[in-house]
Amino acid sequence: MTSHDARPSSRTGYTSFEEELVNAMNDFANSADAPSVDSVGIVRKTRRKRVTAIAGLAAALIVAGGGTALATAVSNGSDASRPAATTTATDDATTVLVNGSKIKREFAGLDLDFAKQLLLKSQLELGTVSKVDCGKNGKPGSVHSVDPHSPKAVSIGDTINLTLCAG
């Protein structure tokens, strides 16, 4: 085959094979449709897959959470590491119930500064601060008991007396 410039403008210089090839290429170019891309459909399909995946993940988390809640509700204190009766006299002696037991404040083990902050946050007043010998059971300077304590409830503005462990 020669270059296009060397050919005469009429078809007389083509061989029969070249003519058939050019005709076949023209027929193919005129008959083939250009591929169409459905971008809207692709986007919808992608969104649908994403939404389905998120919904499936959310359902799995709900089922797992529900199973955990169910297991916790069924055991309800039967765990060997935690005895069924966890509230002892010591726990009640460091717990303050504010506003008819709607707010529960635990002072056990707090030092005087943190106890004052918790009283301020609970809108309670600090009364007398006394010290008692706790032996080996308490950290020196930590709250040993509060007065009044649970199950008695106090109101906002009431005075709370603290007893700290002596060193």
Side-chain angles (χ1 to χ4, degrees):
M1 290 181 42
T2 59
S3 68
H4 294 290
D5 294 340
R7 301 265 178 212
S9 61
S10 67
R11 292 189 168 211
T12 57
Y14 289 119
T15 63
S16 63
F17 174 75
E18 289 176 331
E19 279 186 43
E20 287 180 30
L21 183 61
V22 169
N23 289 337
M25 289 172 49
N26 285 335
D27 290 343
F28 179 76
N30 293 334
S31 68
D33 293 331
S36 64
V37 177
D38 185 18
S39 59
V40 174
I42 292 171
V43 169
R44 284 185 188 148
K45 186 176 179 182
T46 304
R47 285 182 185 157
R48 206 170 24 245
K49 284 182 180 179
R50 186 181 322 132
V51 167
T52 304
I54 290 172
L57 181 61
L61 288 175
I62 289 171
V63 168
T68 304
L70 182 61
T72 304
V74 169
S75 66
N76 196 16
S78 64
D79 188 9
S81 65
R82 176 187 280 170
T86 57
T87 49
T88 62
T90 308
D91 291 335
D92 285 339
T94 58
T95 304
V96 175
L97 301 175
V98 184
N99 282 342
S101 74
K102 291 183 182 176
I103 303 171
K104 183 177 181 179
R105 297 294 184 206
E106 180 65 43
F107 287 88
L110 296 179
D111 65 3
L112 184 58
D113 291 334
F114 283 125
K116 285 180 182 178
Q117 290 176 7
L118 189 56
L119 285 171
L120 184 66
K121 180 180 177 183
S122 303
Q123 299 176 356
L124 299 170
E125 299 293 325
L126 176 62
T128 60
V129 178
S130 58
K131 293 191 176 187
V132 69
D133 185 25
C134 297
K136 294 181 180 180
N137 295 336
K139 179 181 166 188
S142 65
V143 175
H144 177 263
S145 63
V146 294
D147 183 46
H149 58 77
S150 175
K152 183 179 178 186
V154 297
S155 298
I156 293 176
D158 284 355
T159 302
I160 304 295
N161 300 317
L162 299 177
T163 304
L164 304 177
C165 288

